[in-house]
Amino acid sequence: MNTLSITLSLFLSTILSACCKDNRINSSKQMDIKNQQEIKLIIGTTTINLTLENNHTSKAFVSQLPLTIEMNDLNENEKYGNLSENLPTNPLRVNTIHKGDVMLFGSNTLVIFYKSFNTSYEYSLIGKITHPYDLEKVFGKGKVRVKFIQ
């Protein structure tokens, strides 16, 4: 074999190896997405999907379903309500809250964020609303009753 053939062979095997590796990564990501659990939130006549984090906090939350919570408004960017039982926590400093984030503050305060903003607070992650586009309209002003079901 001459040098050009060897170089070409090495080049092709590197490209093929990278393609296969990328496919395995993409397949793994697709598998993770398919394995994510979803629950539903019902606010009035609107049903919203919530994709859960894979952690102890969200699993303990799901074990309490079905659940209906009266949620109050805070700062015109979030709804919060207290759970009857404490959940396991793993608080993280998230820095940025995104519209549609569902988190636990402390060990029993469930928070649904309907606007994005920066924060210095720590929360335990529960999940993310799949399509948070009209959350502000859906939640309205003041108190709201939210039903969580599987």
Short mmCIF file of all heavy atoms in Angstrom, two decimals, residues 71-127:
data_model
loop_
_atom_site.label_atom_id
_atom_site.label_comp_id
_atom_site.label_asym_id
_atom_site.label_seq_id
_atom_site.Cartn_x
_atom_site.Cartn_y
_atom_site.Cartn_z
N MET A 71 -53.29 27.77 44.20
CA MET A 71 -52.01 28.45 44.04
C MET A 71 -52.21 29.95 44.02
O MET A 71 -53.11 30.46 43.35
CB MET A 71 -51.31 27.95 42.78
CG MET A 71 -51.08 26.44 42.80
SD MET A 71 -50.04 25.84 41.46
CE MET A 71 -48.41 26.16 42.17
N ASN A 72 -51.38 30.64 44.78
CA ASN A 72 -51.40 32.09 44.86
C ASN A 72 -50.40 32.68 43.88
O ASN A 72 -49.43 32.03 43.49
CB ASN A 72 -51.03 32.55 46.28
CG ASN A 72 -52.05 32.09 47.28
OD1 ASN A 72 -53.21 32.44 47.21
ND2 ASN A 72 -51.62 31.27 48.24
N ASP A 73 -50.61 33.94 43.54
CA ASP A 73 -49.68 34.64 42.66
C ASP A 73 -48.62 35.34 43.49
O ASP A 73 -48.90 35.84 44.58
CB ASP A 73 -50.43 35.67 41.82
CG ASP A 73 -49.60 36.12 40.63
OD1 ASP A 73 -49.57 35.38 39.64
OD2 ASP A 73 -48.98 37.19 40.72
N LEU A 74 -47.40 35.38 42.97
CA LEU A 74 -46.31 36.11 43.61
C LEU A 74 -45.53 36.85 42.55
O LEU A 74 -45.11 36.25 41.54
CB LEU A 74 -45.40 35.14 44.38
CG LEU A 74 -44.25 35.79 45.15
CD1 LEU A 74 -44.79 36.69 46.27
CD2 LEU A 74 -43.33 34.73 45.74
N ASN A 75 -45.37 38.15 42.74
CA ASN A 75 -44.55 39.00 41.88
C ASN A 75 -44.99 39.03 40.41
O ASN A 75 -44.19 39.36 39.54
CB ASN A 75 -43.07 38.59 41.96
CG ASN A 75 -42.53 38.70 43.36
OD1 ASN A 75 -42.87 39.61 44.10
ND2 ASN A 75 -41.69 37.75 43.73
N GLU A 76 -46.20 38.63 40.14
CA GLU A 76 -46.73 38.61 38.78
C GLU A 76 -45.83 37.83 37.82
O GLU A 76 -45.70 38.16 36.64
CB GLU A 76 -46.98 40.03 38.27
CG GLU A 76 -48.03 40.76 39.08
CD GLU A 76 -48.32 42.15 38.57
OE1 GLU A 76 -47.58 42.67 37.71
OE2 GLU A 76 -49.32 42.72 39.03
N ASN A 77 -45.20 36.75 38.34
CA ASN A 77 -44.38 35.89 37.48
C ASN A 77 -44.44 34.42 37.87
O ASN A 77 -43.87 33.57 37.19
CB ASN A 77 -42.91 36.35 37.43
CG ASN A 77 -42.23 36.33 38.78
OD1 ASN A 77 -42.67 35.67 39.72
ND2 ASN A 77 -41.13 37.06 38.89
N GLU A 78 -45.13 34.12 38.97
CA GLU A 78 -45.19 32.73 39.43
C GLU A 78 -46.46 32.47 40.23
O GLU A 78 -47.05 33.39 40.80
CB GLU A 78 -43.98 32.39 40.29
CG GLU A 78 -43.94 33.13 41.62
CD GLU A 78 -42.66 32.90 42.40
OE1 GLU A 78 -41.61 33.43 41.97
OE2 GLU A 78 -42.73 32.21 43.43
N LYS A 79 -46.83 31.19 40.24
CA LYS A 79 -47.90 30.71 41.11
C LYS A 79 -47.27 29.73 42.08
O LYS A 79 -46.41 28.93 41.71
CB LYS A 79 -49.00 29.99 40.30
CG LYS A 79 -49.70 30.86 39.28
CD LYS A 79 -50.57 31.92 39.91
CE LYS A 79 -51.34 32.67 38.82
NZ LYS A 79 -52.11 33.77 39.34
N TYR A 80 -47.71 29.78 43.33
CA TYR A 80 -47.15 28.87 44.33
C TYR A 80 -48.25 28.33 45.23
O TYR A 80 -49.27 28.96 45.43
CB TYR A 80 -46.06 29.56 45.17
CG TYR A 80 -46.63 30.55 46.16
CD1 TYR A 80 -46.90 30.17 47.47
CD2 TYR A 80 -46.93 31.85 45.77
CE1 TYR A 80 -47.45 31.07 48.37
CE2 TYR A 80 -47.48 32.75 46.67
CZ TYR A 80 -47.73 32.36 47.97
OH TYR A 80 -48.27 33.24 48.87
N GLY A 81 -48.00 27.13 45.73
CA GLY A 81 -48.93 26.51 46.67
C GLY A 81 -48.20 25.50 47.52
O GLY A 81 -47.19 24.93 47.10
N ASN A 82 -48.70 25.30 48.72
CA ASN A 82 -48.04 24.38 49.64
C ASN A 82 -48.59 22.97 49.51
O ASN A 82 -49.80 22.78 49.39
CB ASN A 82 -48.17 24.87 51.08
CG ASN A 82 -47.38 26.13 51.30
OD1 ASN A 82 -46.30 26.30 50.75
ND2 ASN A 82 -47.91 27.03 52.10
N LEU A 83 -47.70 22.01 49.54
CA LEU A 83 -48.06 20.60 49.52
C LEU A 83 -48.35 20.15 50.94
O LEU A 83 -47.82 20.71 51.90
CB LEU A 83 -46.92 19.77 48.93
CG LEU A 83 -46.49 20.15 47.51
CD1 LEU A 83 -45.22 19.41 47.13
CD2 LEU A 83 -47.60 19.84 46.53
N SER A 84 -49.14 19.10 51.09
CA SER A 84 -49.47 18.61 52.42
C SER A 84 -48.33 17.82 53.05
O SER A 84 -48.27 17.66 54.26
CB SER A 84 -50.73 17.75 52.38
OG SER A 84 -50.54 16.65 51.51
N GLU A 85 -47.41 17.32 52.21
CA GLU A 85 -46.26 16.56 52.71
C GLU A 85 -44.97 17.15 52.16
O GLU A 85 -44.94 17.65 51.04
CB GLU A 85 -46.35 15.10 52.24
CG GLU A 85 -47.54 14.35 52.78
CD GLU A 85 -47.57 12.92 52.24
OE1 GLU A 85 -46.52 12.36 51.91
OE2 GLU A 85 -48.68 12.37 52.14
N ASN A 86 -43.91 17.05 52.96
CA ASN A 86 -42.59 17.47 52.50
C ASN A 86 -42.08 16.48 51.46
O ASN A 86 -42.33 15.28 51.56
CB ASN A 86 -41.60 17.55 53.65
CG ASN A 86 -41.91 18.70 54.59
OD1 ASN A 86 -42.63 19.63 54.24
ND2 ASN A 86 -41.37 18.63 55.79
N LEU A 87 -41.34 16.99 50.47
CA LEU A 87 -40.70 16.15 49.46
C LEU A 87 -39.20 16.16 49.68
O LEU A 87 -38.65 17.11 50.25
CB LEU A 87 -41.00 16.70 48.06
CG LEU A 87 -42.46 16.78 47.62
CD1 LEU A 87 -42.53 17.32 46.20
CD2 LEU A 87 -43.14 15.43 47.71
N PRO A 88 -38.51 15.12 49.21
CA PRO A 88 -37.04 15.15 49.27
C PRO A 88 -36.54 16.29 48.37
O PRO A 88 -37.15 16.59 47.34
CB PRO A 88 -36.63 13.79 48.72
CG PRO A 88 -37.80 13.26 48.00
CD PRO A 88 -39.01 13.92 48.58
N THR A 89 -35.47 16.92 48.78
CA THR A 89 -34.98 18.09 48.04
C THR A 89 -33.55 17.89 47.57
O THR A 89 -32.79 17.09 48.13
CB THR A 89 -35.05 19.36 48.90
OG1 THR A 89 -34.18 19.20 50.03
CG2 THR A 89 -36.46 19.64 49.37
N ASN A 90 -33.21 18.63 46.55
CA ASN A 90 -31.84 18.75 46.06
C ASN A 90 -31.74 20.15 45.47
O ASN A 90 -31.73 20.33 44.25
CB ASN A 90 -31.54 17.68 44.99
CG ASN A 90 -30.11 17.75 44.53
OD1 ASN A 90 -29.25 18.31 45.21
ND2 ASN A 90 -29.86 17.22 43.36
N PRO A 91 -31.71 21.17 46.36
CA PRO A 91 -31.77 22.55 45.89
C PRO A 91 -30.55 22.94 45.06
O PRO A 91 -29.42 22.63 45.41
CB PRO A 91 -31.87 23.38 47.16
CG PRO A 91 -31.50 22.49 48.27
CD PRO A 91 -31.62 21.08 47.80
N LEU A 92 -30.84 23.62 43.95
CA LEU A 92 -29.79 24.11 43.06
C LEU A 92 -29.98 25.61 42.87
O LEU A 92 -31.11 26.08 42.80
CB LEU A 92 -29.89 23.43 41.69
CG LEU A 92 -29.81 21.92 41.65
CD1 LEU A 92 -30.16 21.42 40.27
CD2 LEU A 92 -28.41 21.47 42.04
N ARG A 93 -28.89 26.30 42.74
CA ARG A 93 -28.97 27.72 42.39
C ARG A 93 -29.12 27.78 40.87
O ARG A 93 -28.18 27.55 40.13
CB ARG A 93 -27.72 28.46 42.84
CG ARG A 93 -27.83 29.93 42.63
CD ARG A 93 -26.62 30.65 43.16
NE ARG A 93 -27.01 32.03 43.32
CZ ARG A 93 -26.57 32.80 44.27
NH1 ARG A 93 -25.72 32.34 45.15
NH2 ARG A 93 -26.96 34.04 44.34
N VAL A 94 -30.32 28.06 40.41
CA VAL A 94 -30.62 27.97 38.97
C VAL A 94 -30.22 29.22 38.20
O VAL A 94 -30.08 29.16 36.98
CB VAL A 94 -32.10 27.64 38.74
CG1 VAL A 94 -32.44 26.27 39.27
CG2 VAL A 94 -33.00 28.69 39.35
N ASN A 95 -30.07 30.34 38.86
CA ASN A 95 -29.69 31.63 38.26
C ASN A 95 -30.77 32.22 37.35
O ASN A 95 -31.10 33.37 37.46
CB ASN A 95 -28.35 31.57 37.52
CG ASN A 95 -27.21 31.27 38.45
OD1 ASN A 95 -27.19 31.76 39.58
ND2 ASN A 95 -26.28 30.45 38.02
N THR A 96 -31.29 31.42 36.43
CA THR A 96 -32.33 31.91 35.52
C THR A 96 -33.54 31.00 35.59
O THR A 96 -33.42 29.80 35.43
CB THR A 96 -31.82 31.97 34.07
OG1 THR A 96 -30.66 32.82 34.01
CG2 THR A 96 -32.89 32.53 33.14
N ILE A 97 -34.68 31.60 35.83
CA ILE A 97 -35.95 30.90 35.80
C ILE A 97 -36.49 31.05 34.38
O ILE A 97 -36.45 32.15 33.82
CB ILE A 97 -36.96 31.54 36.78
CG1 ILE A 97 -36.46 31.47 38.22
CG2 ILE A 97 -38.35 30.93 36.63
CD1 ILE A 97 -36.41 30.10 38.82
N HIS A 98 -36.99 29.97 33.82
CA HIS A 98 -37.57 30.02 32.48
C HIS A 98 -39.08 29.79 32.57
O HIS A 98 -39.54 28.98 33.37
CB HIS A 98 -36.94 28.95 31.58
CG HIS A 98 -35.48 29.15 31.40
ND1 HIS A 98 -34.95 30.07 30.53
CD2 HIS A 98 -34.42 28.56 32.01
CE1 HIS A 98 -33.63 30.03 30.60
NE2 HIS A 98 -33.29 29.14 31.49
N LYS A 99 -39.80 30.52 31.75
CA LYS A 99 -41.25 30.34 31.69
C LYS A 99 -41.55 28.86 31.49
O LYS A 99 -40.98 28.22 30.61
CB LYS A 99 -41.83 31.14 30.52
CG LYS A 99 -43.33 31.02 30.41
CD LYS A 99 -43.92 31.45 29.09
CE LYS A 99 -43.73 32.85 28.68
NZ LYS A 99 -44.57 33.25 27.53
N GLY A 100 -42.40 28.30 32.36
CA GLY A 100 -42.75 26.89 32.28
C GLY A 100 -42.01 26.00 33.26
O GLY A 100 -42.33 24.83 33.39
N ASP A 101 -41.02 26.55 33.98
CA ASP A 101 -40.33 25.76 35.00
C ASP A 101 -41.27 25.45 36.15
O ASP A 101 -42.05 26.31 36.58
CB ASP A 101 -39.11 26.51 35.56
CG ASP A 101 -37.93 26.57 34.61
OD1 ASP A 101 -37.91 25.79 33.63
OD2 ASP A 101 -37.02 27.39 34.84
N VAL A 102 -41.21 24.22 36.63
CA VAL A 102 -41.97 23.81 37.80
C VAL A 102 -40.95 23.31 38.81
O VAL A 102 -40.18 22.39 38.52
CB VAL A 102 -43.01 22.72 37.47
CG1 VAL A 102 -43.76 22.28 38.71
CG2 VAL A 102 -43.98 23.22 36.40
N MET A 103 -40.91 23.95 39.98
CA MET A 103 -39.86 23.66 40.96
C MET A 103 -40.44 23.62 42.37
O MET A 103 -41.57 24.02 42.60
CB MET A 103 -38.77 24.72 40.88
CG MET A 103 -38.10 24.81 39.53
SD MET A 103 -36.71 25.93 39.62
CE MET A 103 -36.45 26.28 37.91
N LEU A 104 -39.61 23.14 43.26
CA LEU A 104 -39.97 23.09 44.67
C LEU A 104 -39.09 24.08 45.42
O LEU A 104 -37.87 24.06 45.30
CB LEU A 104 -39.74 21.67 45.21
CG LEU A 104 -40.21 21.41 46.63
CD1 LEU A 104 -41.74 21.42 46.69
CD2 LEU A 104 -39.68 20.08 47.13
N PHE A 105 -39.73 24.97 46.18
CA PHE A 105 -39.00 25.90 47.05
C PHE A 105 -39.10 25.35 48.46
O PHE A 105 -40.19 25.02 48.93
CB PHE A 105 -39.61 27.30 46.97
CG PHE A 105 -38.88 28.31 47.81
CD1 PHE A 105 -37.65 28.79 47.41
CD2 PHE A 105 -39.42 28.74 49.00
CE1 PHE A 105 -36.97 29.72 48.19
CE2 PHE A 105 -38.76 29.66 49.79
CZ PHE A 105 -37.52 30.16 49.38
N GLY A 106 -37.97 25.22 49.13
CA GLY A 106 -37.97 24.56 50.43
C GLY A 106 -38.32 23.10 50.22
O GLY A 106 -37.92 22.50 49.23
N SER A 107 -39.10 22.53 51.12
CA SER A 107 -39.44 21.12 50.98
C SER A 107 -40.91 20.87 50.66
O SER A 107 -41.30 19.74 50.41
CB SER A 107 -39.07 20.36 52.26
OG SER A 107 -39.77 20.91 53.36
N ASN A 108 -41.73 21.96 50.64
CA ASN A 108 -43.15 21.71 50.37
C ASN A 108 -43.88 22.82 49.63
O ASN A 108 -45.10 22.83 49.59
CB ASN A 108 -43.90 21.37 51.66
CG ASN A 108 -44.07 22.57 52.56
OD1 ASN A 108 -43.45 23.60 52.36
ND2 ASN A 108 -44.93 22.43 53.54
N THR A 109 -43.17 23.76 49.03
CA THR A 109 -43.82 24.82 48.27
C THR A 109 -43.59 24.59 46.78
O THR A 109 -42.47 24.73 46.29
CB THR A 109 -43.31 26.22 48.68
OG1 THR A 109 -43.53 26.39 50.08
CG2 THR A 109 -44.04 27.31 47.91
N LEU A 110 -44.66 24.23 46.10
CA LEU A 110 -44.61 23.99 44.66
C LEU A 110 -44.75 25.33 43.94
O LEU A 110 -45.63 26.13 44.28
CB LEU A 110 -45.75 23.06 44.25
CG LEU A 110 -45.76 22.65 42.78
CD1 LEU A 110 -44.58 21.73 42.48
CD2 LEU A 110 -47.06 21.96 42.45
N VAL A 111 -43.88 25.56 42.95
CA VAL A 111 -43.89 26.83 42.22
C VAL A 111 -43.94 26.55 40.72
O VAL A 111 -43.17 25.74 40.21
CB VAL A 111 -42.63 27.67 42.55
CG1 VAL A 111 -42.73 29.04 41.89
CG2 VAL A 111 -42.43 27.81 44.05
N ILE A 112 -44.86 27.24 40.05
CA ILE A 112 -44.94 27.20 38.59
C ILE A 112 -44.65 28.61 38.09
O ILE A 112 -45.34 29.56 38.45
CB ILE A 112 -46.34 26.76 38.10
CG1 ILE A 112 -46.70 25.39 38.68
CG2 ILE A 112 -46.38 26.74 36.57
CD1 ILE A 112 -48.14 24.98 38.39
N PHE A 113 -43.63 28.74 37.26
CA PHE A 113 -43.23 30.05 36.76
C PHE A 113 -43.86 30.31 35.40
O PHE A 113 -43.74 29.49 34.50
CB PHE A 113 -41.70 30.13 36.67
CG PHE A 113 -41.05 30.02 38.02
CD1 PHE A 113 -40.60 28.80 38.49
CD2 PHE A 113 -40.91 31.13 38.83
CE1 PHE A 113 -40.00 28.68 39.74
CE2 PHE A 113 -40.32 31.03 40.09
CZ PHE A 113 -39.87 29.80 40.54
N TYR A 114 -44.52 31.46 35.26
CA TYR A 114 -45.14 31.78 33.98
C TYR A 114 -44.45 32.94 33.27
O TYR A 114 -44.89 33.39 32.21
CB TYR A 114 -46.65 32.02 34.12
CG TYR A 114 -47.08 33.13 35.04
CD1 TYR A 114 -47.20 34.43 34.57
CD2 TYR A 114 -47.42 32.85 36.36
CE1 TYR A 114 -47.63 35.44 35.41
CE2 TYR A 114 -47.85 33.86 37.20
CZ TYR A 114 -47.95 35.16 36.72
OH TYR A 114 -48.38 36.16 37.56
N LYS A 115 -43.34 33.41 33.82
CA LYS A 115 -42.47 34.39 33.16
C LYS A 115 -41.02 34.00 33.44
O LYS A 115 -40.73 33.36 34.46
CB LYS A 115 -42.72 35.81 33.69
CG LYS A 115 -44.02 36.42 33.28
CD LYS A 115 -44.12 37.85 33.76
CE LYS A 115 -45.44 38.49 33.40
NZ LYS A 115 -45.56 39.84 33.98
N SER A 116 -40.12 34.42 32.58
CA SER A 116 -38.69 34.17 32.76
C SER A 116 -38.05 35.36 33.47
O SER A 116 -38.44 36.51 33.25
CB SER A 116 -38.00 33.96 31.41
OG SER A 116 -38.55 32.85 30.75
N PHE A 117 -37.05 35.07 34.32
CA PHE A 117 -36.33 36.13 35.02
C PHE A 117 -35.10 35.53 35.70
O PHE A 117 -34.96 34.31 35.81
CB PHE A 117 -37.23 36.84 36.05
CG PHE A 117 -37.77 35.93 37.12
CD1 PHE A 117 -37.13 35.79 38.35
CD2 PHE A 117 -38.94 35.20 36.90
CE1 PHE A 117 -37.64 34.95 39.33
CE2 PHE A 117 -39.46 34.36 37.88
CZ PHE A 117 -38.81 34.24 39.09
N ASN A 118 -34.21 36.39 36.17
CA ASN A 118 -33.02 35.94 36.91
C ASN A 118 -33.35 35.87 38.39
O ASN A 118 -34.19 36.63 38.89
CB ASN A 118 -31.86 36.91 36.68
CG ASN A 118 -31.37 36.87 35.25
OD1 ASN A 118 -31.40 35.84 34.59
ND2 ASN A 118 -30.93 38.01 34.75
N THR A 119 -32.68 34.96 39.09
CA THR A 119 -32.93 34.78 40.52
C THR A 119 -31.67 34.35 41.25
O THR A 119 -30.77 33.76 40.64
CB THR A 119 -34.04 33.74 40.76
OG1 THR A 119 -34.34 33.68 42.17
CG2 THR A 119 -33.62 32.36 40.30
N SER A 120 -31.62 34.61 42.53
CA SER A 120 -30.53 34.12 43.37
C SER A 120 -31.00 33.00 44.29
O SER A 120 -30.22 32.46 45.06
CB SER A 120 -29.95 35.27 44.20
OG SER A 120 -30.96 35.80 45.04
N TYR A 121 -32.28 32.63 44.19
CA TYR A 121 -32.84 31.58 45.04
C TYR A 121 -32.46 30.19 44.55
O TYR A 121 -32.09 29.99 43.39
CB TYR A 121 -34.37 31.69 45.09
CG TYR A 121 -34.85 32.88 45.87
CD1 TYR A 121 -35.33 34.01 45.20
CD2 TYR A 121 -34.83 32.89 47.26
CE1 TYR A 121 -35.78 35.11 45.91
CE2 TYR A 121 -35.29 33.99 47.96
CZ TYR A 121 -35.75 35.09 47.29
OH TYR A 121 -36.20 36.18 48.00
N GLU A 122 -32.60 29.22 45.46
CA GLU A 122 -32.34 27.82 45.13
C GLU A 122 -33.66 27.05 45.10
O GLU A 122 -34.53 27.29 45.95
CB GLU A 122 -31.41 27.19 46.17
CG GLU A 122 -30.00 27.74 46.13
CD GLU A 122 -29.08 27.04 47.10
OE1 GLU A 122 -29.56 26.34 48.03
OE2 GLU A 122 -27.85 27.18 46.94
N TYR A 123 -33.77 26.15 44.15
CA TYR A 123 -34.98 25.34 43.97
C TYR A 123 -34.58 23.90 43.68
O TYR A 123 -33.52 23.64 43.11
CB TYR A 123 -35.82 25.84 42.79
CG TYR A 123 -36.35 27.23 42.95
CD1 TYR A 123 -35.62 28.33 42.50
CD2 TYR A 123 -37.59 27.46 43.53
CE1 TYR A 123 -36.12 29.62 42.64
CE2 TYR A 123 -38.09 28.74 43.67
CZ TYR A 123 -37.35 29.82 43.22
OH TYR A 123 -37.84 31.09 43.35
N SER A 124 -35.47 22.98 44.01
CA SER A 124 -35.33 21.58 43.58
C SER A 124 -36.17 21.43 42.31
O SER A 124 -37.33 21.85 42.27
CB SER A 124 -35.83 20.63 44.66
OG SER A 124 -35.03 20.75 45.82
N LEU A 125 -35.58 20.85 41.30
CA LEU A 125 -36.24 20.74 40.00
C LEU A 125 -37.31 19.64 40.02
O LEU A 125 -37.09 18.56 40.53
CB LEU A 125 -35.22 20.42 38.92
CG LEU A 125 -34.02 21.37 38.83
CD1 LEU A 125 -33.05 20.89 37.75
CD2 LEU A 125 -34.47 22.78 38.56
N ILE A 126 -38.47 19.95 39.45
CA ILE A 126 -39.54 18.96 39.28
C ILE A 126 -39.78 18.70 37.80
O ILE A 126 -39.86 17.56 37.38
CB ILE A 126 -40.83 19.41 39.99
CG1 ILE A 126 -40.60 19.37 41.50
CG2 ILE A 126 -42.00 18.51 39.59
CD1 ILE A 126 -41.78 19.79 42.33
N GLY A 127 -39.90 19.74 37.00
CA GLY A 127 -40.13 19.52 35.58
C GLY A 127 -40.28 20.81 34.81
O GLY A 127 -40.02 21.91 35.31
#
